[in-house]
Amino acid sequence: MYNNFFFKKILIVSCVVFLYSCDKDFNTIGDGLIGGNAFDFDKYTSGVLAYNQKIGPIQSNNLNINSLGILVNPAFGTTTANFATQLSLNSPNPVIGNNPVIESVILTIPYFSTLISTDTNGDQGYELDSIYGGTDAKIKLSVYESGYFMRDLDPTSGFQEAQKYFTDQNADFDGSKVGSRLNNDSNTSQNDSFSFSAAEYKETTMTDGKEVVTRTAPGMRLTLNSSYFKTKIIDGVAAGKLSTNEVFKEYFRGLYFKVEKSGSSPSALAQLDFKKGKITIKYKEDTSSTDNTKIEKSIVLNLTGNTVSLLEQSNTNTPYVNATNSANISTTLGDEKLYLKGGEGAMAIIELFGPDADNNGVADDLETIRNNGWLINEANLVFHVDASAMASADEPSRIYLYDLNNSRPVFDYAVDATAGTTAKNGKIVFGGLLNKEDITSGVYKIRITNQIRNLIKNADSTNVRLGVVVTEDINTTASSKLRTAGFSISQAPRASVMSPLGTILYGSKSTVPEDKRLKLEIYYTKPN
């Protein structure tokens, strides 16, 4: 028993000595790192060269999101967005019975919306997203049969490449429309005075003697010409025109959506996912050749297939025109204002680290950082919005920075795995989201830490030019071809083509006030 007690005492003393020694060693190491101040933490602001680049007519077929309407932007001008789409049969080769009679033809396209309230009767209130224009805004909307056939493959490539369609082809589709408009209802809210309403659609039906209310979230809902669809679709079945989707797309080449101003009313524009749209043809037919009892049936045409966004620019703002004129762009001193505009618009080109004064092929700031052995903790490009120029204009919620030389994302985009709830708010660490510093100004900040680290670490890495555009979908990084290549670009990000918005940012020219000038901010650790 004594021996056990003795050994316990020895064990306790040994543990105390051991822990003390460890603690002493730990404190000594800590003193060497922190107390000895082996590293300094600091911020460095590097030179940046930024200038404008006009984006002319650009490929706009088969986009994820398309604009429809008229947007008056005082900072840029007026954008009129028309649209064309093919149709496809939900069920090819339908069978039509005896004496078919069309009950209704309804075109529906959902809006982007959020449910915000439900009252005691079950009626629901919604808030619309991606609708630009006042609450009283209206447009004249006309939907036509399109006579323009949109091929899948380009014959000039020997049918080896997909056919491209461009933003400036509205005249081609407008000149090929067939007959009168299909949305010819006497209710002018369906055509001459159309508005993007946030009201839900309610339909009451009788089932087993009881009223059943069906509620549908807000969307475009147009009554189309029944006589036309009786001839085109019901009679077309007998002629074999609906036997397959390939035959049908040649026979019925699609729809052309044309927008115009509605009198003196302010205009509006919406972002729509047309692929979720459809035409529902409800009809009744006899159960047999001898029985006049009617049964209800339907044919559904989906708004899927080839599509094209058709954009027209007018009343263009003079400063925007001048700033994006190639004769006025300074690729050596940089531009005072950077104009980013979606669609057939404009972008900015960024060159990092300023000049190469000693002409050794390495920018001076980059050479300084390499020679000093700095360890990069974080690096950001910080863009300030010209608040006065954008005071009465809708601002894009996000901009996108990419490797312009290779038309691909930068490293920091690729390594950012943060997911978002919408197409606009993923990649949060990478950034580019509008941050309102106060009610009069805004900032876009984009992280390029890994991009800068790679340039510093690898002497053979190319200091590529960077492009900056507005974006409608941060997850879309593919590019669209320009119809005619500009002086320094031949393509631009597809997500920029989707966006109708624009913003004006302060550039890098020395005449820009220091607190607003575009900067590359680098936070680094400097060994002593």
Side-chain angles (χ1 to χ4, degrees), residues 107 126 133 173 202 223 248 282 336 353 413 475 482 501 526:
L107 167 66
Y126 287 85
F173 285 85
K202 292 198 302 182
T223 300
F248 177 67
K282 292 184 177 181
E336 284 191 351
F353 294 115
Y413 176 98
N475 300 313
L482 270 66
L501 302 180
K526 180 176 63 175

Side-chain angles (χ1 to χ4, degrees), residues 194-220:
F194 176 84
S195 63
F196 298 103
S197 172
E200 68 172 355
Y201 175 73
K202 292 198 302 182
E203 184 176 26
T204 303
T205 57
M206 297 298 294
T207 302
D208 297 329
K210 296 181 179 180
E211 285 190 351
V212 177
V213 178
T214 302
R215 291 178 167 84
T216 305
M220 181 185 296

Side-chain angles (χ1 to χ4, degrees), residues 149-163:
F149 182 66
M150 288 190 278
R151 295 184 297 262
D152 293 328
L153 300 174
D154 185 357
T156 62
S157 69
F159 298 99
Q160 299 300 306
E161 298 178 4
Q163 179 67 52

Side-chain angles (χ1 to χ4, degrees), residues 9-21:
K9 289 180 67 176
I10 293 297
L11 180 60
I12 291 171
V13 172
S14 300
C15 289
V16 171
V17 172
F18 176 77
L19 291 174
Y20 175 80
S21 301

Side-chain angles (χ1 to χ4, degrees), residues 10 38 44 71 127 175 259 338 422 460 479:
I10 293 297
Y44 182 76
L71 177 63
E127 183 177 62
V259 297
L338 303 176
T422 72
D460 58 346
S479 294

Side-chain angles (χ1 to χ4, degrees), residues 403-418:
D403 176 346
L404 180 65
N405 286 21
N406 301 291
S407 296
R408 65 188 182 192
V410 296
F411 294 123
D412 294 79
Y413 176 98
V415 300
D416 184 357
T418 54

Side-chain angles (χ1 to χ4, degrees), residues 176-407:
S176 301
K177 60 185 185 290
V178 178
S180 302
R181 68 182 177 187
L182 302 176
N183 57 324
N184 61 349
D185 196 273
S186 58
N187 181 356
T188 59
S189 68
Q190 301 243 340
N191 37 62
D192 291 345
S193 299
F194 176 84
S195 63
F196 298 103
S197 172
E200 68 172 355
Y201 175 73
K202 292 198 302 182
E203 184 176 26
T204 303
T205 57
M206 297 298 294
T207 302
D208 297 329
K210 296 181 179 180
E211 285 190 351
V212 177
V213 178
T214 302
R215 291 178 167 84
T216 305
M220 181 185 296
R221 186 179 181 88
L222 304 178
T223 300
L224 304 184
N225 188 312
S226 295
S227 297
Y228 167 85
F229 281 88
K230 167 62 169 65
T231 301
K232 192 73 180 184
I233 301 301
I234 301 299
D235 296 348
V237 171
K241 300 300 185 181
L242 281 69
S243 57
T244 67
N245 266 314
E246 288 70 26
V247 172
F248 177 67
K249 287 180 180 180
E250 173 61 42
Y251 169 65
F252 191 170
R253 296 185 171 183
L255 298 179
Y256 168 59
F257 292 75
K258 180 176 180 176
V259 297
E260 301 167 89
K261 277 192 64 64
S262 178
S264 59
S265 170
S267 300
L269 179 146
Q271 296 292 88
L272 299 172
D273 185 353
F274 281 91
K275 296 184 295 300
K276 293 181 179 177
K278 63 183 178 180
I279 297 173
T280 303
I281 305 165
K282 292 184 177 181
Y283 65 98
K284 290 184 178 180
E285 63 181 34
D286 294 343
T287 55
S288 69
S289 59
T290 58
D291 187 352
N292 291 330
T293 303
K294 298 288 187 181
I295 59 172
E296 294 184 351
K297 297 180 70 175
S298 65
I299 294 175
V300 175
L301 309 177
N302 297 313
L303 273 62
T304 53
N306 291 316
T307 66
V308 58
S309 187
L310 305 162
L311 307 176
E312 295 182 310
Q313 312 296 325
S314 58
N315 303 318
T316 311
N317 186 284
T318 300
Y320 169 50
V321 173
N322 291 339
T324 55
N325 184 325
S326 59
N328 300 326
I329 295 171
S330 177
T331 59
T332 54
L333 300 177
D335 291 332
E336 284 191 351
K337 301 289 180 65
L338 303 176
Y339 289 79
L340 311 186
K341 171 69 170 66
E344 190 176 309
M347 62 178 290
I349 296 176
I350 310 292
E351 297 180 19
L352 300 176
F353 294 115
D356 174 19
D358 53 8
N359 295 314
N360 67 345
V362 181
D364 295 345
D365 283 356
L366 179 56
E367 193 170 24
T368 297
I369 295 172
R370 284 176 177 171
N371 291 340
N372 289 333
W374 294 348
L375 304 176
I376 306 303
N377 300 315
E378 185 178 333
N380 303 294
L381 280 168
V382 182
F383 300 85
H384 292 268
V385 177
D386 181 351
S388 61
M390 294 299 298
S392 56
D394 290 303
E395 293 184 73
S397 61
R398 192 152 202 181
I399 62 175
Y400 168 64
L401 178 119
Y402 68 104
D403 176 346
L404 180 65
N405 286 21
N406 301 291
S407 296

